[in-house]
Amino acid sequence: INMSNLLHLLDVIDNPIPFTLGKLTTYLNIHAYCVARKKINIFDNFDNILIDSIVLMKLLKLFHIGNHRHMNIHLVAPIIFKQAISEGNSFYFLGGEEENISSSISVLKDSYPMIKICGYRNGYFTTFQEKEKFIQGILELNPDIIFCGMGTPLQETTLLEIRKNGW
């Protein structure tokens, strides 16, 4: 274990309000944490890193590293959806296979009829050009919130690319 990388990552883990517009937030579970330790620089530009794993939270507490709360995205997402709907915010959803993202969008629309979904797509890009075209499309749509579930570190690098291009 590279302790300096580990300590740096733990310094940026925070527990803010679930979301703030204009902020990049990611959630770490055990797998993502293991990946994050090896690719620490990816997380330098994230505003919030939240713990999405009871096991990870308990390990951090066991070693007296910070005072972290468990912020399960499945429990936080309804709060985010309700707040965003009340504020008129729009969403873009990215990730998973086409069948999964399409069915997830149907469930969201049924559960939150007032949700503004300006777009969604699967998380698989076959070429660099396809990903660039996607990023340009995101910039044109300019969603308030992007939910990205592509796995670590791909989701983080994709969000950073989108931000770097002007979102």
Side-chain angles (χ1 to χ4, degrees), residues 6-149:
L6 174 65
L7 292 173
H8 174 72
L9 178 62
L10 294 172
D11 282 343
V12 295
I13 292 176
D14 200 358
N15 288 296
I17 298 170
F19 86 93
T20 306
L21 293 181
K23 303 285 185 184
L24 282 183
T25 299
T26 192
Y27 288 78
L28 293 182
N29 58 27
I30 291 284
H31 168 73
Y33 176 76
C34 291
V35 171
R37 286 188 349 201
K38 296 173 187 168
K39 299 184 179 285
I40 197 71
N41 60 322
I42 292 171
F43 296 87
D44 286 343
N45 294 307
F46 275 79
D47 302 296
N48 305 307
I49 302 173
L50 305 177
I51 299 172
D52 186 17
S53 164
I54 291 173
V55 174
L56 179 56
M57 180 203 55
K58 290 193 181 287
L59 283 171
L60 293 172
K61 284 185 177 183
L62 176 70
F63 292 105
H64 305 288
I65 301 172
N67 183 21
H68 307 293
R69 293 178 301 151
H70 178 235
M71 297 282 282
N72 184 306
I73 187 60
H74 302 291
L75 299 175
V76 172
I79 297 167
I80 294 171
F81 295 146
K82 288 175 185 172
Q83 182 178 339
I85 289 167
S86 73
E87 295 175 5
N89 300 130
S90 61
F91 289 89
Y92 192 97
F93 292 88
L94 172 64
E97 296 176 350
E98 188 60 41
E99 180 180 309
N100 295 338
I101 189 77
S102 295
S103 64
S104 295
I105 295 300
S106 292
V107 168
L108 276 172
K109 287 180 177 179
D110 287 344
S111 301
Y112 302 95
M114 301 301 292
I115 193 168
K116 289 183 182 178
I117 299 174
C118 62
Y120 65 92
R121 70 155 283 151
N122 68 61
Y124 297 93
F125 299 98
T126 55
T127 65
F128 174 78
Q129 291 79 11
E130 182 183 5
K131 191 170 189 180
E132 287 296 308
K133 184 177 177 182
F134 158 75
I135 291 173
Q136 288 308 308
I138 284 285
L139 297 177
E140 290 170 18
L141 290 171
N142 196 26
D144 297 303
I145 301 163
I146 300 173
F147 261 74
C148 184

